[in-house]
Amino acid sequence: MKKSYVLLFLCLAPLFWAGNYVLGEYVVEEMTPIQMTFIRWAIAIVLLWPLAHYIERPVWKDVWKSWKLLTTMSLLGIIGYNFLLYEALKYTTPVNASLVNSISPILIVVLSTFLLRERLTRWNLIGLVLSLGGVLMVLTNGRIGDLAEVQYNAGDLLMLLAVLLWSVYSIMGRKMTAIPPIAATAVSVIIGLVILLPVTLYQGLPSSVSTQGLLGITYMGLFPSVGAFVFWNVSLRYIDASRVGIFLYLIPVFTAIISLLMGKTITAVQIAGGIMVFIGVYINGKKAKKESLKEQNKHDV
């Protein structure tokens, strides 16, 4: 696959997930986190399964042979992360949740270095630090010193656990190269729905949902669930997990842009922070690639 396509996918996935943050704050007022997670993936599987079948044409029997690994990934990325995210939004603000989520790329880099033996280049580190600085500017409106005064609550702790689950999920996705990515996601979703079904039946479905809630959960079922997960898992096959993780820094930037489109204001400092994030992502993707080629040429000589 062309590198330009992979980079496009890595930008679209955070864009779709940013919408999940913005709309999740409203939908969680009408549904429980379990209901949101189940309905979201029930909508998604309607598209995921045909996409996997007609695009990748996998041998489903072979895919299901990896059910243990796929079940673990389902518990981590399909059920665990999303349930904890929606649960966290009941107790904390989207800004706090985004702030905690911004440590995910760092965790992915650390886990990739120790578990996958991926090399951490100086450009990885420069891009990582620059992007983190940009995220903090966006989230704090330039008052980074206020971070020491943030009052963390149960929601922030739930979000921290969600980030840990997502980081492990990303690492596992990097190692799972024998299964087509869309098929892997589809099977993981089916497993997740089976696991969630008894709890959902016990809770029952929402008795009434507003038009806003219906549009929100439909968006979650299509874009963050299908588009973002497919793009993310496809990208993990072509780029090191340590380099892919930094693109998660785009989530708060896109969240700010979506908020602007919804009528909220954005300051010049937040715009500057967003630019820093994009520069950091560019450095991580461009310079790290050049450094990798230089290292390869040395070995070839």
Side-chain angles (χ1 to χ4, degrees):
M1 180 179 291
K2 291 183 178 180
K3 181 184 176 183
S4 58
Y5 290 148
V6 176
L7 293 178
L8 175 62
F9 290 168
L10 287 174
C11 289
L12 287 176
L15 174 60
F16 295 158
W17 278 321
N20 188 38
Y21 270 86
V22 175
L23 296 177
E25 181 185 11
Y26 300 102
V27 180
V28 77
E29 297 178 358
E30 302 186 33
M31 305 179 191
T32 67
I34 286 290
Q35 291 171 339
M36 290 174 66
T37 304
F38 182 84
I39 295 174
R40 164 186 176 172
W41 291 115
I43 295 172
I45 196 60
V46 176
L47 287 178
L48 279 173
W49 189 269
L51 282 174
H53 187 74
Y54 291 106
I55 293 177
E56 297 175 336
R57 298 191 177 278
V59 180
W60 290 108
K61 184 188 299 185
D62 294 339
V63 176
W64 281 100
K65 287 181 181 178
S66 300
W67 67 270
K68 292 182 180 179
L69 175 61
L70 293 173
T71 297
T72 303
M73 294 189 68
S74 179
L75 290 171
L76 293 172
I78 303 299
I79 298 176
Y81 175 81
N82 292 283
F83 169 77
L84 289 172
L85 166 61
Y86 299 141
E87 189 70 24
L89 289 174
K90 293 168 58 178
Y91 303 100
T92 190
T93 65
V95 172
N96 270 33
S98 298
L99 176 59
V100 177
N101 190 72
S102 67
I103 71 171
S104 181
I106 300 174
L107 282 178
I108 292 176
V109 168
V110 172
L111 291 175
S112 298
T113 301
F114 287 100
L115 299 181
L116 301 183
R117 305 297 181 185
E118 293 182 0
R119 181 169 171 265
L120 181 62
T121 70
R122 68 176 182 273
W123 290 112
N124 284 142
L125 189 58
I126 292 173
L128 196 69
V129 172
L130 189 61
S131 294
L132 178 59
V135 167
L136 296 181
M137 285 185 65
V138 171
L139 295 176
T140 65
N141 196 22
R143 298 187 296 269
I144 298 180
D146 291 350
L147 290 174
E149 302 175 5
V150 174
Q151 298 296 317
Y152 293 97
N153 54 35
D156 300 320
L157 297 178
L158 288 171
M159 196 62 212
L160 182 60
L161 180 57
V163 169
L164 178 60
L165 295 185
W166 179 259
S167 300
V168 176
Y169 172 86
S170 296
I171 295 297
M172 294 183 67
R174 174 63 179 167
K175 297 189 69 174
M176 190 179 62
T177 57
I179 306 175
I182 305 178
T185 305
V187 172
S188 296
V189 169
I190 291 175
I191 294 173
L193 288 172
V194 171
I195 295 173
L196 286 172
L197 183 59
V199 184
T200 305
L201 291 176
Y202 176 78
Q203 285 191 352
L205 295 176
S207 56
S208 62
V209 181
S210 67
T211 301
Q212 177 178 277
L214 183 60
L215 291 175
I217 197 66
T218 301
Y219 171 89
M220 293 175 186
L222 297 178
F223 294 97
S225 304
V226 178
F229 266 77
V230 170
F231 290 159
W232 184 260
N233 285 327
V234 168
S235 301
L236 283 170
R237 305 299 176 89
Y238 297 95
I239 296 182
D240 290 345
S242 58
R243 292 176 58 202
V244 170
I246 198 172
F247 282 82
L248 292 176
Y249 280 139
L250 294 175
I251 293 178
V253 177
F254 286 138
T255 300
I257 294 174
I258 294 173
S259 298
L260 178 64
L261 294 176
M262 294 180 67
K264 298 182 180 180
T265 59
I266 297 179
T267 66
V269 173
Q270 290 175 311
I271 294 175
I275 294 174
M276 283 180 62
V277 173
F278 281 109
I279 293 175
V281 169
Y282 174 81
I283 289 176
N284 184 75
K286 192 77 172 178
K287 298 299 184 180
K289 179 66 175 179
K290 289 183 178 180
E291 195 161 289
S292 177
L293 289 175
K294 288 181 181 179
E295 189 69 22
Q296 182 178 347
N297 291 335
K298 287 182 182 179
H299 290 297
D300 292 341
V301 174

